[in-house]
Amino acid sequence: PLYYLVAAAVALPSDFRDPTGGFQTNTEFIWAGNGGREVNAGIHGSVETFPFPGQALTLHLAREASVVMGALTIWLIVQLGWEIFPERRGIGVLAGAIAAFDPQFLFINGSVNNDDLLALTATGAIWQLVRLLDRPARLRDWVFLGLWLSAAVLAKPTGAVIGLVAGVVLLVSALRQRSLSFFVGRAVVLGAVSVVATGWWFARNQVLYGDPLGWTLFQKVFAADMRQGSLHWSDLHEFATVQFRSYWGVFGWMNVDAPDWLYLGARVLCGIAVAGLALGLVSGRLAKLSAGRRAALGLLALAVVAQEGYMVWYITRCNGSCYQGRYLFPVVGAIALLLAVGLLTMIPPSWDRVVVAGVGASLAAVAVFVPIGVIQPAYHVVALPTWELQLVPSKTDLRFGKAFALRGYRVERTSDRGAVALTLYWQAAERPDFDYSAFAHLIDPSGRLVAQQDHGPGADQGFPPTRWQVGDVVADRHLIPLPKNAGPAVYRLRIGLYNWQTGAQLPVQSGGSRIGTFVILSDQIRG
């Protein structure tokens, strides 16, 4: 519950009771079972845009909380690197860059997702564990560790995996101290902190569900995600492939892939880093590190192995929906640091700045490209942000029928001056009940129709009126040819909406009064 408590506290300035901008299921979603091909599970409209009314503001504030959590996670990763390699600070900076510019990490930390708080708290617990390797005697540090671990478990139960790593560290520390009392005393501290901080949650689950973990209920709710048969080697191969790709960038509901070159680059980065670690071991360079640093690197490796071991165990119970790379984000700091050590261990420290700058800049460029070049095009939304109405040159306040409000228009001549481009800015005052068509007539001074262009507003963009939500703003562009060889003339534009099945035009109101079934715009167009 912890992530949602934090997000709710941050979102308090919003009006929870106003449903504007709340989640609406997209029936055209690729997995909705209706034959749709859209990647977006929700319908997104103009009302969700700035200044974010109602639940739209709630979700945006919660997302900002996630962004802050992600930023703090990166800060902790850098601190972790500096804790282990204080004289070679480039390792910590490079580790921070590897995590910070991972497109998938950015994507998840820009969403409402409890993995964001789990990554932060688990990274904090690993940082505290590394500090305890050199200073195991201070009791208050074990209290702090207990708090980090409790926060991780309250963010997501899988945070308990880092608790197992903490148990190994405690055992090793006790063996090094040759003291049973040391082990018992610290175990009691960790246990007491955990019981006080998290016990209420497990007690609540027991009372409500008869299960302290809520696992039985979870299996019922997510029955479609539970594995029905046994796990095979082919499943493990698919798991490894999907996990690696989605650790670096498979977006949305695992249905928006990054370009192949991104995955190739990730493989090259990881391959060089792994080769660097292997060479460091073979050459003895890593063996020359102090015992404390070797222990810290071993701790990072243990955390990664423990988390991956948990995932392998988990997919014996869960199907392909659990192959997602974000489930490794509790150890994102450990992974990033091991990669950074592998990249830098075989080069002289004097080259650190060059390598860190080069790798960091390359990763940053990819991180900037992905939202613009991959994610945004996949989530194309026709409805315009409401603030764009402020940029419309000719503003109007007209109502066509009950559902359509004309907020303004723009008239432009084409580059060859052979046509006039009219853009009408419609806004849904109510949900349209029919896919009405808009007509744009070019008329001469006598009112005679010279040229016209009709179509349903938004239909040419795959967004006909019946798909609009209340408040949606749609730019409806009509290209109307000017008559040729007609001599000098002054034309006007006449617009309206009509039922294309019956031909009936919708009534037009201005200031609450009916003015007819069409409007003639004031702009004059010279032929």
Side-chain angles (χ1 to χ4, degrees):
L2 186 57
Y3 172 83
Y4 304 101
L5 287 171
V6 173
V10 172
L12 278 175
S14 64
D15 185 357
F16 288 15
R17 296 166 296 179
D18 180 357
T20 305
F23 182 79
Q24 300 181 75
T25 301
N26 181 10
T27 57
E28 298 300 313
F29 179 46
I30 191 171
W31 293 345
N34 298 316
R37 304 303 300 170
E38 296 182 9
V39 300
N40 210 327
I43 297 174
H44 299 283
S46 300
V47 294
E48 296 180 48
T49 58
F50 185 82
F52 310 125
Q55 291 181 15
L57 180 59
T58 303
L59 293 170
H60 274 271
L61 290 175
R63 290 176 61 195
E64 295 302 330
S66 291
V67 171
V68 172
M69 292 173 192
L72 290 174
T73 302
I74 300 304
W75 180 80
L76 277 173
I77 291 171
V78 175
Q79 295 300 313
L80 181 58
W82 289 352
E83 181 73 27
I84 301 173
F85 298 97
E87 83 294 341
R88 200 170 179 180
R89 298 172 78 82
I91 291 178
V93 174
L94 181 56
I98 290 172
F101 300 134
D102 174 352
Q104 189 73 23
F105 185 79
L106 288 170
F107 183 80
I108 294 299
N109 280 272
S111 66
V112 180
N113 194 308
N114 60 353
D115 285 318
D116 305 329
L117 184 57
L118 176 59
L120 171 60
T121 52
T123 303
I126 292 172
W127 173 67
Q128 186 66 34
L129 281 169
V130 168
R131 290 164 58 87
L132 280 168
L133 290 175
D134 288 334
R135 298 176 290 274
R138 295 203 307 188
L139 202 60
R140 65 179 183 181
D141 285 341
W142 292 93
V143 173
F144 293 148
L145 174 61
L147 292 173
W148 279 116
L149 293 174
S150 298
V153 170
L154 288 177
K156 204 168 187 176
T158 52
V161 174
I162 304 300
L164 298 177
V165 177
V168 173
V169 172
L170 174 58
L171 179 61
V172 171
S173 298
L175 292 174
R176 290 169 60 185
Q177 298 282 330
R178 298 174 182 264
S179 171
L180 179 61
S181 61
F182 175 92
F183 178 84
V184 173
R186 272 61 183 175
V188 169
V189 168
L190 288 176
V193 172
S194 299
V195 168
V196 172
T198 69
W200 64 274
W201 174 250
F202 296 110
R204 168 192 177 277
N205 288 344
Q206 180 65 40
V207 171
L208 288 179
Y209 315 126
D211 175 2
L213 296 178
W215 174 246
T216 303
L217 180 64
F218 180 89
Q219 288 179 295
K220 291 180 180 179
V221 173
F222 295 97
D225 297 327
M226 295 296 104
R227 185 173 296 279
Q228 301 303 315
S230 58
L231 189 69
H232 301 286
W233 285 110
S234 59
D235 297 316
L236 289 173
H237 179 267
E238 181 186 2
F239 164 68
T241 301
V242 173
Q243 184 187 61
F244 180 86
R245 288 169 62 91
S246 58
Y247 182 88
W248 296 102
V250 178
F251 311 106
W253 290 73
M254 294 289 288
N255 54 14
V256 178
D257 289 315
D260 287 339
W261 56 259
L262 187 147
Y263 305 121
L264 176 61
R267 286 194 293 270
V268 170
L269 176 74
C270 294
I272 294 174
V274 170
L277 289 172
L279 288 173
L281 289 171
V282 172
S283 66
R285 187 181 291 264
L286 292 178
K288 294 178 182 178
L289 296 175
S290 67
R293 292 182 182 179
R294 293 199 306 272
L297 292 177
L299 169 61
L300 299 180
L302 176 62
V304 174
V305 170
Q307 186 66 29
E308 185 70 335
Y310 166 77
M311 287 310 306
V312 171
W313 170 82
Y314 191 54
I315 64 172
T316 63
R317 288 155 175 77
C318 183
N319 61 25
S321 64
C322 298
Y323 293 1
Q324 300 177 51
R326 65 186 173 95
Y327 295 138
L328 286 179
F329 284 166
V331 291
V332 64
I335 292 172
L337 266 167
L338 290 172
L339 292 176
V341 171
L343 291 172
L344 296 178
T345 188
M346 296 305 295
I347 68 170
S350 58
W351 286 32
D352 281 4
R353 288 190 178 183
V354 175
V355 174
V356 171
V359 174
S362 300
L363 293 172
V366 173
V368 170
F369 164 77
V370 165
I372 300 171
V374 177
I375 298 173
Q376 188 176 35
Y379 287 90
H380 176 64
V381 176
V382 176
L384 300 177
T386 53
W387 58 263
E388 285 200 23
L389 289 175
Q390 304 302 317
L391 306 179
V392 177
S394 301
K395 295 180 174 59
T396 60
D397 186 15
L398 300 168
R399 181 70 65 87
F400 290 71
K402 294 182 179 180
F404 297 88
L406 183 65
R407 297 304 187 194
Y409 64 91
R410 183 190 305 272
V411 177
E412 301 168 301
R413 295 291 287 271
T414 57
S415 58
D416 61 1
R417 304 189 65 79
V420 59
L422 170 66
T423 304
L424 303 172
Y425 292 88
W426 301 101
Q427 186 171 32
E430 297 180 3
R431 284 291 303 274
D433 61 352
F434 184 77
D435 287 331
Y436 295 93
S437 287
F439 63 79
H441 294 168
L442 189 72
I443 59 175
D444 64 14
S446 67
R448 182 175 64 90
L449 177 65
V450 175
Q452 73 182 88
Q453 209 275 324
D454 297 13
H455 61 239
D460 57 337
Q461 305 172 72
F463 195 60
T466 50
R467 294 199 64 187
W468 299 5
Q469 304 294 313
V470 175
D472 278 352
V473 177
V474 176
D476 177 28
R477 191 171 188 268
H478 296 256
L479 190 64
I480 309 165
L482 293 172
K484 298 179 180 179
N485 305 319
V490 177
Y491 303 103
R492 304 278 290 277
L493 289 165
R494 181 173 63 201
I495 63 170
L497 287 172
Y498 67 96
N499 184 316
W500 57 268
Q501 289 183 337
T502 65
Q505 296 180 6
L506 293 180
V508 183
Q509 291 184 351
S510 177
S513 300
R514 179 167 175 170
I515 60 174
T517 59
F518 59 82
V519 172
I520 298 177
L521 303 181
S522 60
D523 301 63
Q524 294 184 343
I525 301 164
R526 299 190 178 275

